[in-house]
Each structure stands twice: as structure tokens, then as C-alpha cells.
Coordinates of all heavy atoms in Angstrom, one line a residue:
M103 N 14.9 -40.1 -81.8 CA 13.5 -39.8 -81.7 C 13.2 -38.6 -82.6 O 13.9 -37.6 -82.6 CB 13.1 -39.5 -80.2 CG 11.7 -39.2 -80.0 SD 11.1 -39.0 -78.3 CE 12.4 -39.0 -77.2
T104 N 12.1 -38.7 -83.4 CA 11.8 -37.6 -84.3 C 11.1 -36.4 -83.6 O 10.7 -36.6 -82.4 CB 10.8 -38.1 -85.4 OG1 9.6 -38.4 -84.8 CG2 11.4 -39.3 -86.1
R105 N 11.0 -35.3 -84.3 CA 10.3 -34.2 -83.7 C 8.8 -34.5 -83.4 O 8.3 -34.0 -82.4 CB 10.4 -32.9 -84.6 CG 11.7 -32.3 -84.5 CD 11.8 -30.9 -85.0 NE 11.3 -30.8 -86.4 CZ 11.0 -29.7 -87.0 NH1 11.3 -28.5 -86.5 NH2 10.6 -29.7 -88.3
D106 N 8.2 -35.3 -84.3 CA 6.8 -35.7 -84.1 C 6.7 -36.5 -82.8 O 5.8 -36.4 -82.0 CB 6.3 -36.5 -85.3 CG 6.1 -35.6 -86.5 OD1 5.9 -34.4 -86.3 OD2 6.0 -36.2 -87.6
D107 N 7.7 -37.5 -82.6 CA 7.7 -38.3 -81.4 C 7.8 -37.4 -80.1 O 7.1 -37.6 -79.2 CB 8.8 -39.3 -81.4 CG 8.7 -40.3 -82.5 OD1 7.6 -40.5 -83.0 OD2 9.7 -41.0 -82.7
Q108 N 8.7 -36.4 -80.2 CA 8.9 -35.5 -79.1 C 7.6 -34.7 -78.8 O 7.3 -34.5 -77.7 CB 10.1 -34.6 -79.3 CG 11.4 -35.3 -79.3 CD 12.6 -34.4 -79.8 OE1 12.4 -33.4 -80.5 NE2 13.8 -34.8 -79.5
A109 N 7.0 -34.3 -79.9 CA 5.8 -33.5 -79.7 C 4.7 -34.3 -79.1 O 3.9 -33.8 -78.2 CB 5.3 -32.9 -81.1
M110 N 4.6 -35.6 -79.5 CA 3.5 -36.5 -78.9 C 3.8 -36.7 -77.4 O 2.9 -36.7 -76.6 CB 3.5 -37.8 -79.7 CG 2.9 -37.7 -81.1 SD 2.9 -39.2 -82.0 CE 1.7 -40.2 -81.2
L111 N 5.1 -37.0 -77.1 CA 5.4 -37.2 -75.7 C 5.1 -35.9 -74.9 O 4.6 -36.0 -73.8 CB 6.9 -37.6 -75.6 CG 7.2 -39.0 -76.0 CD1 8.7 -39.2 -76.2 CD2 6.7 -40.0 -75.0
A112 N 5.5 -34.8 -75.4 CA 5.3 -33.5 -74.6 C 3.8 -33.3 -74.5 O 3.3 -32.9 -73.4 CB 5.9 -32.4 -75.4
F113 N 3.0 -33.5 -75.5 CA 1.5 -33.3 -75.5 C 0.9 -34.3 -74.4 O 0.1 -33.8 -73.6 CB 0.9 -33.6 -76.8 CG -0.5 -33.5 -76.9 CD1 -1.1 -32.3 -77.3 CD2 -1.4 -34.5 -76.6 CE1 -2.5 -32.1 -77.4 CE2 -2.8 -34.4 -76.6 CZ -3.3 -33.1 -77.0
A114 N 1.3 -35.5 -74.4 CA 0.8 -36.5 -73.5 C 1.2 -36.2 -72.1 O 0.4 -36.3 -71.2 CB 1.3 -37.9 -73.9
A115 N 2.4 -35.8 -71.9 CA 2.9 -35.4 -70.5 C 2.1 -34.2 -70.0 O 1.7 -34.2 -68.8 CB 4.4 -35.1 -70.5
K116 N 1.8 -33.3 -70.9 CA 1.1 -32.1 -70.5 C -0.4 -32.4 -70.2 O -1.0 -32.0 -69.2 CB 1.2 -31.0 -71.6 CG 0.3 -29.8 -71.3 CD 0.5 -28.8 -72.5 CE -0.4 -27.6 -72.4 NZ -0.3 -26.7 -73.5
W117 N -1.1 -33.1 -71.1 CA -2.5 -33.3 -71.1 C -3.0 -34.5 -70.3 O -4.2 -34.6 -69.9 CB -3.1 -33.3 -72.5 CG -3.1 -32.0 -73.1 CD1 -2.2 -31.4 -74.0 CD2 -4.1 -31.0 -72.9 NE1 -2.6 -30.1 -74.3 CE2 -3.8 -29.8 -73.6 CE3 -5.3 -30.9 -72.1 CZ2 -4.5 -28.7 -73.6 CZ3 -6.0 -29.7 -72.1 CH2 -5.6 -28.6 -72.8
S118 N -2.1 -35.4 -70.0 CA -2.6 -36.6 -69.3 C -3.1 -36.3 -67.9 O -4.1 -37.0 -67.4 CB -1.4 -37.6 -69.1 OG -0.4 -37.1 -68.4
R119 N -2.7 -35.3 -67.3 CA -3.2 -34.8 -66.0 C -4.6 -34.4 -66.1 O -5.3 -34.3 -65.1 CB -2.3 -33.7 -65.4 CG -0.9 -34.3 -65.0 CD -0.1 -33.1 -64.5 NE 0.6 -32.6 -65.7 CZ 1.2 -31.5 -65.8 NH1 1.2 -30.6 -64.8 NH2 1.8 -31.1 -66.9
F120 N -5.0 -34.0 -67.3 CA -6.4 -33.4 -67.5 C -7.3 -34.4 -68.3 O -8.2 -34.0 -68.9 CB -6.3 -32.1 -68.2 CG -5.4 -31.1 -67.5 CD1 -4.1 -30.8 -68.0 CD2 -5.8 -30.5 -66.3 CE1 -3.3 -30.0 -67.4 CE2 -4.9 -29.6 -65.6 CZ -3.7 -29.4 -66.2
G121 N -6.9 -35.7 -68.3 CA -7.7 -36.7 -69.0 C -7.2 -36.9 -70.4 O -7.8 -37.8 -71.1
G122 N -6.2 -36.3 -70.9 CA -5.6 -36.6 -72.2 C -5.8 -35.6 -73.3 O -5.0 -35.6 -74.2
G123 N -6.7 -34.7 -73.2 CA -6.9 -33.7 -74.2 C -7.3 -34.3 -75.5 O -6.9 -33.8 -76.6
D124 N -8.1 -35.3 -75.5 CA -8.4 -36.1 -76.7 C -9.0 -35.2 -77.8 O -8.7 -35.4 -79.0 CB -9.5 -37.2 -76.4 CG -8.9 -38.3 -75.6 OD1 -7.7 -38.3 -75.3 OD2 -9.6 -39.2 -75.3
E125 N -9.8 -34.2 -77.5 CA -10.4 -33.3 -78.5 C -9.3 -32.5 -79.2 O -9.6 -31.9 -80.3 CB -11.4 -32.4 -77.8 CG -10.8 -31.4 -76.8 CD -10.7 -31.9 -75.4 OE1 -10.8 -33.1 -75.2 OE2 -10.6 -31.1 -74.5
Y126 N -8.1 -32.4 -78.7 CA -7.0 -31.6 -79.4 C -6.1 -32.5 -80.2 O -5.3 -32.0 -81.0 CB -6.2 -30.9 -78.4 CG -7.1 -29.9 -77.5 CD1 -7.2 -30.2 -76.2 CD2 -7.7 -28.8 -78.1 CE1 -8.0 -29.3 -75.4 CE2 -8.5 -28.0 -77.3 CZ -8.6 -28.2 -76.0 OH -9.4 -27.4 -75.2
I127 N -6.2 -33.8 -80.1 CA -5.3 -34.7 -80.8 C -5.4 -34.7 -82.3 O -4.4 -34.5 -83.0 CB -5.4 -36.2 -80.2 CG1 -4.9 -36.2 -78.8 CG2 -4.6 -37.1 -81.1 CD1 -5.1 -37.5 -78.1
L128 N -6.7 -34.8 -82.8 CA -6.9 -34.8 -84.2 C -6.4 -33.5 -84.9 O -5.6 -33.5 -85.8 CB -8.3 -35.0 -84.6 CG -8.6 -35.2 -86.1 CD1 -7.9 -36.3 -86.7 CD2 -10.1 -35.4 -86.3
P129 N -6.8 -32.3 -84.3 CA -6.3 -31.0 -85.0 C -4.8 -30.9 -84.8 O -4.1 -30.3 -85.7 CB -7.0 -29.9 -84.2 CG -8.0 -30.6 -83.4 CD -7.7 -32.0 -83.3
E130 N -4.2 -31.3 -83.7 CA -2.8 -31.2 -83.5 C -1.9 -32.1 -84.3 O -0.9 -31.8 -84.9 CB -2.5 -31.3 -82.0 CG -1.0 -31.1 -81.6 CD -0.6 -29.7 -81.6 OE1 -1.5 -28.8 -81.5 OE2 0.6 -29.4 -81.7
F131 N -2.3 -33.4 -84.4 CA -1.5 -34.4 -85.0 C -2.1 -35.1 -86.2 O -1.4 -35.8 -86.9 CB -1.2 -35.5 -83.9 CG -0.4 -35.0 -82.8 CD1 -1.1 -34.7 -81.6 CD2 0.9 -34.8 -82.8 CE1 -0.4 -34.2 -80.5 CE2 1.6 -34.2 -81.7 CZ 1.0 -34.0 -80.6
G132 N -3.3 -34.8 -86.5 CA -4.0 -35.4 -87.7 C -4.3 -36.9 -87.6 O -4.4 -37.5 -88.6
I133 N -4.4 -37.4 -86.4 CA -4.7 -38.8 -86.1 C -5.7 -38.8 -85.0 O -5.9 -37.9 -84.2 CB -3.4 -39.6 -85.8 CG1 -2.7 -39.0 -84.5 CG2 -2.5 -39.8 -86.9 CD1 -1.5 -39.9 -84.1
T134 N -6.4 -40.0 -85.0 CA -7.4 -40.1 -83.9 C -6.8 -40.4 -82.6 O -5.6 -40.8 -82.5 CB -8.4 -41.3 -84.3 OG1 -7.6 -42.5 -84.3 CG2 -9.1 -41.1 -85.6
P135 N -7.5 -40.1 -81.5 CA -6.9 -40.4 -80.2 C -6.5 -41.9 -80.1 O -5.4 -42.2 -79.5 CB -8.0 -40.1 -79.2 CG -8.8 -39.0 -79.9 CD -8.7 -39.4 -81.4
Q136 N -7.3 -42.8 -80.6 CA -6.9 -44.3 -80.6 C -5.5 -44.5 -81.2 O -4.7 -45.2 -80.6 CB -8.0 -45.1 -81.3 CG -7.7 -46.5 -81.4 CD -8.3 -47.3 -80.2 OE1 -9.1 -46.8 -79.5 NE2 -7.9 -48.6 -80.1
V137 N -5.3 -44.0 -82.4 CA -4.0 -44.1 -83.0 C -2.9 -43.4 -82.2 O -1.8 -43.9 -82.1 CB -4.1 -43.6 -84.5 CG1 -2.7 -43.6 -85.1 CG2 -5.0 -44.4 -85.3
F138 N -3.2 -42.2 -81.7 CA -2.2 -41.5 -80.9 C -1.8 -42.3 -79.7 O -0.6 -42.4 -79.5 CB -2.9 -40.2 -80.4 CG -2.0 -39.4 -79.5 CD1 -1.1 -38.5 -80.1 CD2 -2.1 -39.5 -78.1 CE1 -0.3 -37.7 -79.2 CE2 -1.3 -38.7 -77.3 CZ -0.4 -37.8 -77.8
Y139 N -2.7 -42.9 -79.0 CA -2.3 -43.6 -77.8 C -1.6 -44.9 -78.2 O -0.7 -45.4 -77.4 CB -3.5 -43.9 -76.9 CG -4.1 -42.6 -76.3 CD1 -5.3 -42.1 -76.6 CD2 -3.3 -41.8 -75.5 CE1 -5.8 -40.9 -76.0 CE2 -3.7 -40.6 -74.9 CZ -5.0 -40.2 -75.2 OH -5.4 -39.0 -74.7
Q140 N -2.0 -45.5 -79.3 CA -1.3 -46.7 -79.7 C 0.2 -46.4 -80.1 O 1.1 -47.1 -79.7 CB -2.0 -47.4 -80.9 CG -3.3 -48.0 -80.6 CD -4.1 -48.5 -81.8 OE1 -3.9 -48.0 -82.9 NE2 -5.0 -49.4 -81.6
R141 N 0.4 -45.3 -80.8 CA 1.7 -44.9 -81.2 C 2.6 -44.5 -79.9 O 3.7 -44.9 -79.8 CB 1.7 -43.8 -82.1 CG 1.3 -44.2 -83.5 CD 1.4 -43.0 -84.5 NE 0.8 -43.4 -85.8 CZ 0.7 -42.5 -86.8 NH1 1.0 -41.3 -86.6 NH2 0.1 -42.9 -87.9
L142 N 1.9 -43.8 -79.0 CA 2.6 -43.4 -77.8 C 3.0 -44.6 -77.0 O 4.1 -44.6 -76.4 CB 1.7 -42.4 -77.0 CG 2.4 -41.7 -75.9 CD1 3.6 -40.9 -76.3 CD2 1.4 -40.8 -75.2
L143 N 2.1 -45.5 -76.8 CA 2.4 -46.7 -76.1 C 3.5 -47.5 -76.7 O 4.4 -47.9 -75.9 CB 1.1 -47.6 -76.0 CG 1.2 -48.9 -75.2 CD1 1.6 -48.6 -73.8 CD2 -0.1 -49.7 -75.3
T144 N 3.6 -47.6 -78.0 CA 4.7 -48.2 -78.7 C 6.0 -47.5 -78.3 O 7.0 -48.1 -78.1 CB 4.5 -48.3 -80.2 OG1 3.3 -49.1 -80.4 CG2 5.7 -48.9 -80.9
M145 N 5.9 -46.1 -78.4 CA 7.1 -45.3 -78.1 C 7.7 -45.6 -76.7 O 8.8 -45.7 -76.5 CB 6.8 -43.8 -78.3 CG 7.1 -43.3 -79.6 SD 7.0 -41.5 -79.6 CE 5.3 -41.2 -79.7
V146 N 6.8 -45.5 -75.7 CA 7.2 -45.6 -74.3 C 7.6 -47.0 -73.9 O 8.3 -47.1 -72.9 CB 6.2 -44.9 -73.3 CG1 6.1 -43.5 -73.6 CG2 4.9 -45.6 -73.3
T147 N 7.2 -48.0 -74.6 CA 7.6 -49.3 -74.3 C 8.8 -49.8 -75.1 O 9.3 -50.8 -74.8 CB 6.4 -50.3 -74.5 OG1 5.9 -50.2 -75.8 CG2 5.3 -50.1 -73.5
S148 N 9.2 -49.0 -76.1 CA 10.3 -49.3 -76.9 C 11.6 -49.1 -76.1 O 11.7 -48.1 -75.3 CB 10.3 -48.4 -78.1 OG 11.5 -48.5 -78.8
T149 N 12.5 -50.0 -76.3 CA 13.8 -49.8 -75.6 C 14.7 -48.8 -76.3 O 15.8 -48.4 -75.8 CB 14.6 -51.2 -75.6 OG1 14.7 -51.6 -76.9 CG2 13.9 -52.2 -74.8
L150 N 14.3 -48.3 -77.5 CA 15.0 -47.3 -78.2 C 15.0 -45.9 -77.6 O 15.8 -45.1 -77.9 CB 14.6 -47.3 -79.7 CG 14.7 -48.6 -80.4 CD1 14.2 -48.5 -81.8 CD2 16.2 -49.1 -80.4
I151 N 14.0 -45.6 -76.8 CA 13.8 -44.3 -76.3 C 14.6 -44.1 -75.0 O 14.2 -44.7 -74.0 CB 12.3 -44.0 -76.1 CG1 11.6 -44.0 -77.4 CG2 12.1 -42.6 -75.4 CD1 10.1 -43.7 -77.3
N152 N 15.6 -43.4 -75.0 CA 16.4 -43.1 -73.8 C 16.2 -41.7 -73.3 O 16.7 -41.3 -72.3 CB 17.9 -43.3 -74.1 CG 18.2 -44.8 -74.5 OD1 17.7 -45.7 -73.9 ND2 19.0 -44.9 -75.5
D153 N 15.4 -40.9 -74.1 CA 15.2 -39.5 -73.8 C 14.1 -39.3 -72.7 O 13.9 -38.2 -72.3 CB 14.8 -38.7 -75.0 CG 15.9 -38.8 -76.1 OD1 17.0 -38.8 -75.7 OD2 15.5 -38.8 -77.3
V154 N 13.4 -40.4 -72.3 CA 12.3 -40.3 -71.3 C 12.7 -41.1 -70.1 O 13.1 -42.3 -70.2 CB 11.0 -40.8 -72.0 CG1 9.9 -40.7 -71.0 CG2 10.7 -40.1 -73.3
D155 N 12.6 -40.4 -68.9 CA 13.0 -41.1 -67.7 C 12.0 -42.2 -67.4 O 10.9 -42.3 -67.9 CB 13.1 -40.1 -66.5 CG 11.8 -39.5 -66.2 OD1 11.0 -40.1 -65.4 OD2 11.5 -38.4 -66.7
F156 N 12.4 -43.2 -66.6 CA 11.7 -44.4 -66.2 C 10.3 -44.0 -65.7 O 9.3 -44.7 -66.1 CB 12.5 -45.3 -65.3 CG 11.7 -46.5 -64.9 CD1 11.7 -47.6 -65.8 CD2 11.1 -46.6 -63.7 CE1 11.0 -48.7 -65.5 CE2 10.4 -47.8 -63.3 CZ 10.3 -48.8 -64.2
S157 N 10.2 -43.1 -64.7 CA 8.9 -42.8 -64.1 C 7.9 -42.2 -65.1 O 6.7 -42.6 -65.1 CB 9.1 -41.9 -62.9 OG 9.6 -40.7 -63.3
T158 N 8.4 -41.4 -66.0 CA 7.5 -40.8 -67.1 C 7.1 -41.9 -68.0 O 5.9 -42.0 -68.4 CB 8.2 -39.7 -67.8 OG1 8.6 -38.7 -66.9 CG2 7.3 -39.1 -68.9
R159 N 8.0 -42.8 -68.4 CA 7.7 -43.9 -69.3 C 6.6 -44.8 -68.7 O 5.6 -45.2 -69.3 CB 8.9 -44.7 -69.7 CG 9.8 -44.0 -70.6 CD 11.1 -44.7 -70.8 NE 10.8 -46.0 -71.6 CZ 11.7 -46.7 -72.1 NH1 13.0 -46.4 -72.0 NH2 11.4 -47.8 -72.8
T160 N 6.8 -45.1 -67.4 CA 5.8 -46.0 -66.7 C 4.5 -45.3 -66.6 O 3.5 -45.9 -66.9 CB 6.4 -46.3 -65.3 OG1 7.7 -46.9 -65.5 CG2 5.4 -47.2 -64.6
Y161 N 4.5 -44.0 -66.2 CA 3.2 -43.3 -66.1 C 2.5 -43.2 -67.5 O 1.3 -43.5 -67.5 CB 3.5 -41.9 -65.6 CG 2.2 -41.0 -65.6 CD1 1.3 -41.2 -64.6 CD2 2.1 -40.1 -66.6 CE1 0.1 -40.4 -64.7 CE2 0.9 -39.3 -66.6 CZ -0.1 -39.4 -65.7 OH -1.2 -38.7 -65.7
L162 N 3.2 -42.9 -68.5 CA 2.6 -42.8 -69.8 C 2.1 -44.1 -70.4 O 1.1 -44.3 -71.0 CB 3.5 -42.1 -70.8 CG 3.6 -40.6 -70.6 CD1 4.7 -40.0 -71.6 CD2 2.3 -39.8 -70.7
R163 N 2.9 -45.2 -70.1 CA 2.5 -46.5 -70.5 C 1.2 -46.9 -69.8 O 0.3 -47.4 -70.5 CB 3.6 -47.6 -70.1 CG 3.3 -49.0 -70.6 CD 4.1 -50.0 -70.0 NE 3.8 -50.1 -68.5 CZ 4.7 -50.2 -67.6 NH1 5.9 -50.4 -67.8 NH2 4.2 -50.3 -66.3
D164 N 1.1 -46.7 -68.5 CA -0.2 -47.0 -67.8 C -1.3 -46.1 -68.3 O -2.5 -46.6 -68.5 CB 0.0 -46.8 -66.3 CG 1.0 -47.8 -65.7 OD1 1.3 -48.8 -66.4 OD2 1.5 -47.6 -64.6
F165 N -1.1 -44.8 -68.6 CA -2.1 -43.9 -69.0 C -2.6 -44.4 -70.4 O -3.8 -44.4 -70.6 CB -1.6 -42.5 -69.1 CG -2.6 -41.5 -69.6 CD1 -3.6 -41.1 -68.8 CD2 -2.5 -41.0 -70.8 CE1 -4.6 -40.2 -69.2 CE2 -3.4 -40.0 -71.3 CZ -4.5 -39.7 -70.5
C166 N -1.7 -44.6 -71.3 CA -2.1 -45.1 -72.7 C -2.9 -46.4 -72.6 O -3.9 -46.5 -73.3 CB -0.9 -45.3 -73.6 SG -0.1 -43.7 -74.0
S167 N -2.4 -47.3 -71.8 CA -3.1 -48.6 -71.7 C -4.5 -48.4 -71.2 O -5.5 -49.0 -71.7 CB -2.4 -49.5 -70.7 OG -1.1 -49.9 -71.3
S168 N -4.7 -47.5 -70.2 CA -6.1 -47.2 -69.7 C -6.9 -46.5 -70.7 O -8.1 -46.8 -70.9 CB -6.0 -46.4 -68.4 OG -5.7 -45.1 -68.7
K169 N -6.4 -45.6 -71.5 CA -7.1 -45.0 -72.6 C -7.5 -45.9 -73.7 O -8.7 -45.9 -74.2 CB -6.3 -43.8 -73.2 CG -6.0 -42.7 -72.3 CD -7.3 -41.9 -71.9 CE -7.6 -40.9 -72.9 NZ -8.7 -40.0 -72.6
L170 N -6.7 -46.8 -74.0 CA -7.0 -47.8 -75.1 C -7.9 -48.9 -74.6 O -8.6 -49.5 -75.4 CB -5.7 -48.5 -75.6 CG -4.8 -47.5 -76.3 CD1 -3.4 -48.2 -76.6 CD2 -5.4 -47.2 -77.7
A171 N -8.0 -49.1 -73.3 CA -9.0 -50.1 -72.8 C -10.4 -49.6 -72.8 O -11.3 -50.4 -72.8 CB -8.6 -50.5 -71.3
R172 N -10.6 -48.3 -72.8 CA -11.9 -47.7 -72.9 C -12.4 -47.7 -74.3 O -11.7 -47.5 -75.2 CB -11.9 -46.3 -72.4 CG -11.5 -46.2 -70.9 CD -11.5 -44.7 -70.5 NE -10.7 -44.6 -69.3 CZ -10.1 -43.5 -69.0 NH1 -10.2 -42.4 -69.8 NH2 -9.4 -43.4 -67.9
P173 N -13.7 -47.9 -74.5 CA -14.3 -47.7 -75.8 C -14.2 -46.3 -76.3 O -14.3 -45.4 -75.4 CB -15.8 -48.1 -75.7 CG -16.0 -48.2 -74.2 CD -14.7 -48.3 -73.5
A174 N -13.8 -46.1 -77.5 CA -13.7 -44.7 -78.1 C -15.0 -44.0 -78.0 O -16.1 -44.5 -78.4 CB -13.2 -44.8 -79.5
S175 N -15.0 -42.8 -77.5 CA -16.2 -42.0 -77.4 C -16.7 -41.6 -78.8 O -15.8 -41.3 -79.6 CB -16.0 -40.8 -76.5 OG -15.1 -39.9 -77.1
G176 N -17.9 -41.7 -79.0 CA -18.5 -41.3 -80.3 C -18.4 -42.4 -81.4 O -18.9 -42.3 -82.5
T177 N -17.8 -43.6 -81.0 CA -17.7 -44.7 -82.0 C -19.1 -45.1 -82.4 O -19.4 -45.3 -83.6 CB -16.9 -45.9 -81.4 OG1 -15.7 -45.4 -81.0 CG2 -16.8 -47.0 -82.4
A178 N -20.0 -45.3 -81.5 CA -21.4 -45.8 -81.8 C -22.1 -44.7 -82.7 O -22.8 -45.1 -83.6 CB -22.1 -46.0 -80.5
A179 N -21.9 -43.5 -82.4 CA -22.5 -42.4 -83.2 C -22.0 -42.4 -84.6 O -22.7 -42.2 -85.5 CB -22.3 -41.1 -82.5
M180 N -20.7 -42.6 -84.7 CA -20.1 -42.6 -86.1 C -20.5 -43.8 -86.8 O -20.8 -43.7 -88.0 CB -18.5 -42.6 -86.0 CG -18.0 -41.3 -85.6 SD -16.2 -41.2 -85.7 CE -15.7 -42.1 -84.3
T181 N -20.7 -44.9 -86.2 CA -21.2 -46.1 -86.8 C -22.6 -45.9 -87.4 O -22.9 -46.3 -88.5 CB -21.2 -47.3 -85.9 OG1 -19.9 -47.5 -85.4 CG2 -21.6 -48.6 -86.5
R182 N -23.5 -45.3 -86.6 CA -24.8 -45.1 -87.0 C -24.9 -44.1 -88.2 O -25.7 -44.3 -89.1 CB -25.7 -44.5 -85.9 CG -26.1 -45.6 -84.9 CD -26.9 -45.0 -83.9 NE -25.9 -44.6 -82.8 CZ -26.2 -44.0 -81.7 NH1 -27.4 -43.7 -81.4 NH2 -25.2 -43.8 -80.9
V183 N -24.0 -43.1 -88.2 CA -24.0 -42.2 -89.3 C -23.5 -42.9 -90.6 O -24.0 -42.7 -91.7 CB -23.1 -41.0 -89.0 CG1 -22.9 -40.1 -90.2 CG2 -23.7 -40.2 -87.9
A184 N -22.5 -43.7 -90.4 CA -21.9 -44.4 -91.6 C -22.8 -45.4 -92.2 O -22.7 -45.8 -93.4 CB -20.6 -45.1 -91.2
V185 N -23.8 -46.0 -91.4 CA -24.6 -47.0 -91.9 C -25.7 -46.5 -92.8 O -26.2 -45.6 -93.2 CB -25.3 -47.8 -90.8 CG1 -26.3 -48.8 -91.3 CG2 -24.2 -48.5 -90.0

């Protein structure tokens, strides 16, 4: 696992209790929350990660899935600006 992977996991474990800290993802990682949660979901469902215990993996998998199931906030506003 890379340092970036470890940082993403630590961030998610810390902020998931408070709704995810979406407003801090772009400044911290340089990616949108949608991309963050997709990457994190891939990480926690991968069989290659042995550094994360089962309960944390399960919790983060469920959390990421729920975040990805919701429409991204501000998407409609960004679409209107882009048009």
C-alpha cells in the first residue's frame, strides 16, 4: 500500500464519523469526493490490502457505497455554470 493509499484510508476512517469531510478532500488529495470514494472503495474491496482489519474494511466499503449512491452536491450548479 502506498503512502497516498494510507493517507486516504486514515482520512476516511477519521472523517467518516462526521459525514466524510467532503469539503477537505479536494484540497487534501487534489481529487473530487466522487473520485476519492471510488478509489477508496476499490482499495477496501481489494484482496491485496492486508493492512486494514475486516471490520474497518466492511465499514468503509459500506460508507463509500452510500456516498457514491448519492448525487454529488453542487453537480447541478456546476452544470449550469458550464453551459
Side-chain angles (χ1 to χ4, degrees):
M103 183 170 10
T104 68
R105 281 197 307 173
D106 289 338
D107 293 345
Q108 292 171 340
M110 288 176 72
L111 285 166
F113 181 93
K116 174 183 175 181
W117 284 99
S118 62
R119 292 175 270 163
F120 307 105
D124 291 358
E125 64 273 19
Y126 303 113
I127 292 173
L128 184 61
E130 182 74 23
F131 298 100
I133 56 177
T134 64
Q136 177 91 10
V137 172
F138 177 86
Y139 293 117
Q140 288 171 339
R141 288 185 187 174
L142 189 61
L143 183 59
T144 299
M145 269 192 278
V146 297
T147 56
S148 169
T149 57
L150 301 175
I151 296 179
N152 297 320
D153 299 326
V154 182
D155 64 87
F156 179 78
S157 63
T158 302
R159 288 174 70 164
T160 302
Y161 173 76
L162 289 176
R163 184 194 68 219
D164 294 344
F165 179 72
C166 290
S167 295
S168 71
K169 293 293 275 187
L170 291 168
R172 296 181 201 152
S175 62
T177 302
M180 286 190 285
T181 302
R182 280 181 272 180
V183 171
V185 173

